């Protein structure tokens, strides 16, 4: 007797065929042939495990820090959860990228070789609008069809090894379809937060779930094998294609797990996912290493940057954004991989149980704006491209750049000001001589300037240096020198 799920699928196939929207398997043959012709022969990887990085399953000593050289290539973008958005507002913000989640393989190819492209009609309308606005799209592709699932019922999970060629063929179709006008899409993110095990989330989750708790590398090797199957055909079709692996959740620092975090529950496996990817040679099939990190508001804070830096599960390495970046750079260095970092999800959250969050208060809105300014300048200085999630409001845990009426919050203007200020600027140095303050010195066409932000629990006192021309706040408004010590909010200081 057929399971109910399969009865529904075959009924769906009949409906699709009757409606005329079906593309059957023979139409897939040229794409599968392209994928099969380019795929390398299966091989066993014998890359030795760097024993000085992860010598055992239970202990991870700190690797050597990686020196960063400023390159000025980091860019800023936003994620939209609907294309019913005012793209002019995104343009006005100064964003270059729009991330979208996403195209769902299981929706488009519910039966092997049967394609329903009507499922992407709304996506195509929105993609055209983004292109017309001069924005670059990053499109997430996810969702394993039932017939290709390694774990039955888990659309977020791994693909059967023998069906990876089908996914490669599907991705080749997407690249052929969207790499040229009117779409001009070249950036593809394959899954979203794959470093989560299927047991931990719903089967149809929009994130996860390639994690394998029985694997010392948490499924990272399987993910690398999928990239090996899928990426070469994509590159053959579009030499300009850019591959982003699924943005990593990185729930905790495995060497210093803190509380809470899955590492603190007796397992250090989740952060090993990226090591599994790199150990299996997956770095060859990626153009970025991307990850996610979210600090949160609390009603007693002075500095939102402090919330990020002292995030419990990443505090020892530098925080939930920069600490994760440090970890990823160290992992890449261990495997002789050098790829740019992309923070493809971040914002400043206001959790449901926090006073001042429901309803939203002015204090949160101000701190969210301060964090937006800090995030833009610091990430530009540290060569980390950034996507704020989401642009639409009010957003998950009130993290949106727009409010619930889709009007700009103060964070919109703070990010806009910061992007305009640093555009084309060259980093001279990091400023760390003031206790409780982190800053950066830049050279622009208009001259030298500082960005200074408080990062301590208590507003720091400090003395203004000589040679100051003007001081402005995160919105570009003039600030009196008499009001900046103690420093309670980030400022820009223009020098003579």
């Amino acid at each position: 007797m057929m399971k109910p799920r399969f009865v529904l699928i075959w009924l769906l196939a009949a409906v699709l065929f009757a409606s005329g929207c079906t593309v059957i398997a023979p139409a897939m043959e040229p794409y599968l042939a392209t994928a099969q012709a380019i795929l390398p022969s299966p091989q066993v990887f014998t890359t030795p495990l760097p024993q000085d990085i992860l010598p055992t399953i239970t202990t991870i000593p700190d690797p050597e820090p990686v020196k960063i050289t400023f390159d000025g290539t980091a860019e800023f973008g936003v994620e939209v959860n609907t294309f019913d958005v005012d793209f002019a507002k995104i343009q006005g913000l100064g964003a270059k990228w729009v991330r979208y989640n996403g195209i769902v393989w299981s929706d488009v190819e519910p039966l092997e070789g049967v394609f329903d492209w009507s499922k992407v009609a709304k996506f195509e309308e929105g993609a055209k609008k983004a292109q017309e606005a001069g924005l670059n799209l990053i499109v997430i592709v996810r969702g394993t069809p039932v017939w290709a699932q390694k774990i039955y019922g888990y659309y977020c999970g791994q693909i059967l090894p023998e069906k990876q060629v089908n996914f490669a063929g599907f991705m080749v179709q997407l690249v052929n379809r969207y790499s040229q006008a009117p779409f001009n899409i070249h950036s593809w993110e394959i899954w979203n937060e794959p470093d989560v095990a299927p047991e931990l989330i719903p089967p149809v989750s929009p994130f996860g779930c390639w994690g394998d708790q029985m694997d010392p590398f948490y499924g990272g090797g399987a993910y690398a094998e999928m990239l090996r199957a899928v990426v070469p055909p994509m590159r053959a079709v579009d030499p300009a294609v850019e591959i982003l692996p699924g943005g990593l959740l990185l729930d905790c620092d495995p060497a210093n797990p803190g509380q809470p975090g899955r590492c603190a529950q007796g397992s250090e496996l989740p952060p090993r996912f990226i090591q599994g990817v790199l150990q299996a040679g997956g770095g060859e099939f990626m153009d970025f290493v991307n990850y996610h990190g979210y600090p949160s508001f609390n009603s007693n804070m002075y500095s939102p940057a402090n919330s990020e830096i002292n995030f419990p599960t990443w505090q020892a390495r530098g925080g939930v954004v920069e600490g994760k970046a440090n970890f990823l750079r160290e992992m890449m260095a261990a495997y002789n991989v050098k790829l740019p970092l992309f923070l493809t999800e971040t914002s400043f959250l206001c959790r449901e149980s926090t006073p001042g969050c429901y309803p939203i208060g002015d204090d949160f809105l101000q701190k969210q704006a301060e964090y937006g300014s800090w995030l833009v300048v610091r990430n530009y200085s540290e060569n980390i491209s950034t996507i704020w999630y989401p642009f639409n409001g009010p957003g998950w845990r009130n993290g949106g750049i727009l409010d619930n009426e889709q009007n700009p919050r103060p964070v919109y203007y703070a990010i806009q000001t910061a992007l305009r200020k640093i555009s084309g600027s060259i980093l001279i140095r990091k400023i760390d001589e003031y206790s409780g303050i982190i800053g950066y010195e830049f050279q622009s066409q208009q001259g030298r300037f500082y960005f200074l932000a408080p990062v301590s629990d208590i507003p720091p006192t400090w003395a203004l240096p000589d040679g100051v021309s003007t001081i402005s706040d995160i919105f570009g408004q003039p600030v009196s020198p008499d009001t900046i010590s103690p420093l309670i909010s980030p400022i820009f200081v223009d020098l003579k």
Side-chain angles (χ1 to χ4, degrees):
M1 182 176 179
M2 296 180 69
K3 293 182 179 181
R5 184 187 298 272
F6 287 108
V7 172
L8 290 173
I9 289 174
W10 284 109
L11 287 173
L12 172 63
V15 172
L16 288 172
F17 183 83
S19 66
C21 65
T22 301
V23 180
I24 59 175
M28 182 67 174
E29 290 176 358
Y31 299 106
L32 289 176
T34 299
Q36 288 169 329
I38 297 171
L39 287 179
S41 300
Q43 55 188 289
V44 177
F45 296 101
T46 58
T47 305
L49 178 65
Q51 294 299 312
D52 59 329
I53 300 297
L54 295 181
T56 71
I57 293 180
T58 58
T59 303
I60 302 183
D62 287 334
E64 289 294 322
V66 177
K67 184 177 180 180
I68 303 167
T69 302
F70 173 75
D71 61 21
T73 60
E75 294 184 324
F76 185 85
V78 297
E79 180 165 340
V80 296
N81 48 32
T82 173
F83 279 122
D84 293 327
V85 64
D86 186 349
F87 283 103
K89 287 191 174 100
I90 299 178
Q91 280 182 309
L93 180 68
K96 303 295 184 185
W97 293 92
V98 171
R99 182 178 185 249
Y100 179 72
N101 187 357
I103 293 178
V104 181
W105 180 27
S106 57
D107 286 348
V108 180
E109 192 181 1
L111 295 175
E112 187 171 1
V114 179
F115 296 86
D116 180 5
W117 293 104
S118 70
K119 298 295 186 183
V120 294
K122 289 186 177 180
F123 160 77
E124 291 180 350
E125 292 175 8
K128 290 176 185 177
K129 293 177 182 178
Q131 171 62 26
E132 289 167 0
L135 298 164
N136 300 307
L137 270 178
I138 299 171
V139 181
I140 297 169
V141 182
R142 58 179 174 83
T144 307
V146 170
W147 53 267
Q149 291 171 1
K150 186 175 180 180
I151 302 177
Y152 175 76
Y154 276 86
Y155 294 83
C156 60
Q158 293 187 21
I159 302 168
L160 285 166
E162 62 269 26
K163 299 301 183 182
Q164 289 176 359
V165 67
N166 297 72
F167 185 49
F170 178 69
M171 292 305 302
V172 167
Q173 288 199 70
L174 293 183
V175 172
N176 268 322
R177 189 178 183 96
Y178 298 123
S179 62
Q180 301 180 30
F183 306 105
N184 297 316
I185 298 170
H186 301 283
S187 301
W188 300 93
E189 184 172 347
I190 302 177
W191 256 252
N192 180 46
E193 295 182 350
D195 57 327
V196 180
E199 323 65 294
L200 302 175
I201 55 176
V204 295
S205 171
F207 65 94
C209 52
W210 283 66
D212 182 352
Q213 299 194 78
M214 302 303 293
D215 175 11
F217 296 108
Y218 205 61
Y223 185 84
E225 288 301 297
M226 179 272 292
L227 293 179
R228 180 177 292 275
V230 171
V231 174
M234 295 173 67
R235 287 175 172 167
V237 172
D238 178 14
V241 76
E242 291 185 322
I243 305 300
L244 290 82
L248 297 168
L249 176 63
L250 283 178
D251 201 33
C252 52
D253 177 353
N256 307 280
Q259 293 285 344
R262 295 193 180 98
C263 294
Q265 298 173 8
S267 170
E268 296 176 353
L269 286 177
R272 294 176 184 276
F273 185 91
I274 182 59
Q275 189 195 8
V277 173
L278 298 175
Q279 194 269 344
E284 180 182 350
F285 308 103
M286 295 149 47
D287 295 297
F288 297 88
V289 171
N290 47 311
Y291 70 104
H292 302 164
Y294 292 89
S296 297
F297 168 80
N298 72 72
S299 56
N300 298 317
M301 68 168 40
Y302 288 103
S303 165
N306 180 269
S307 171
E308 176 210 290
I309 294 169
N310 290 304
F311 193 88
T313 55
W314 284 95
Q315 180 179 6
R317 206 180 290 268
V320 72
V321 173
E322 195 169 356
K324 290 185 179 184
N326 293 336
F327 173 76
L328 291 171
R329 286 178 171 132
E330 291 158 6
M331 286 290 99
M332 285 192 284
Y335 290 95
N336 297 314
V337 172
K338 189 174 183 180
L339 294 169
L341 292 178
F342 210 140
L343 180 64
T344 43
E345 280 188 30
T346 191
S347 69
F348 192 66
L349 304 179
C350 212
R351 298 174 183 269
E352 291 84 348
S353 59
T354 303
C357 289
Y358 288 84
I360 286 294
D362 290 341
D363 190 25
F364 165 72
L365 294 176
Q366 174 65 25
K367 297 304 182 186
Q368 186 190 41
E370 291 174 10
Y371 183 73
S373 184
W374 157 261
L375 179 77
V376 167
V377 177
R378 191 276 314 281
N379 282 12
Y380 177 74
S381 303
E382 302 290 343
N383 302 332
I384 304 171
S385 291
T386 305
I387 298 288
W388 186 285
Y389 173 84
F391 182 72
N392 316 74
W396 176 59
R397 292 180 171 171
N398 273 312
I401 290 176
L402 306 183
D403 63 19
N404 59 351
E405 300 295 331
Q406 306 312 308
N407 294 317
R409 287 174 167 173
V411 66
Y412 179 98
Y413 301 105
I415 290 173
Q416 181 187 66
T417 299
L419 288 171
R420 289 175 177 176
K421 189 73 175 178
I422 64 173
S423 177
S425 298
I426 298 172
L427 177 69
I428 297 176
R429 67 185 180 100
K430 184 176 183 178
I431 299 171
D432 55 9
E433 58 262 35
Y434 303 112
S435 177
I437 296 173
I438 291 178
Y440 298 91
E441 181 179 355
F442 297 93
Q443 178 70 51
S444 70
Q445 291 184 346
Q446 290 73 39
R448 286 190 306 132
F449 67 91
Y450 293 166
F451 172 81
L452 300 171
V455 296
S456 60
D457 288 330
I458 300 173
T461 57
W462 65 296
L464 194 66
D466 295 332
V468 171
S469 173
T470 59
I471 305 171
S472 56
D473 66 13
I474 58 173
F475 305 113
Q477 299 302 306
V479 172
S480 169
D482 298 331
T483 63
I484 61 172
S485 184
L487 186 64
I488 61 173
S489 178
I491 56 173
F492 294 94
V493 179
D494 292 300
L495 306 175
K496 294 179 181 177

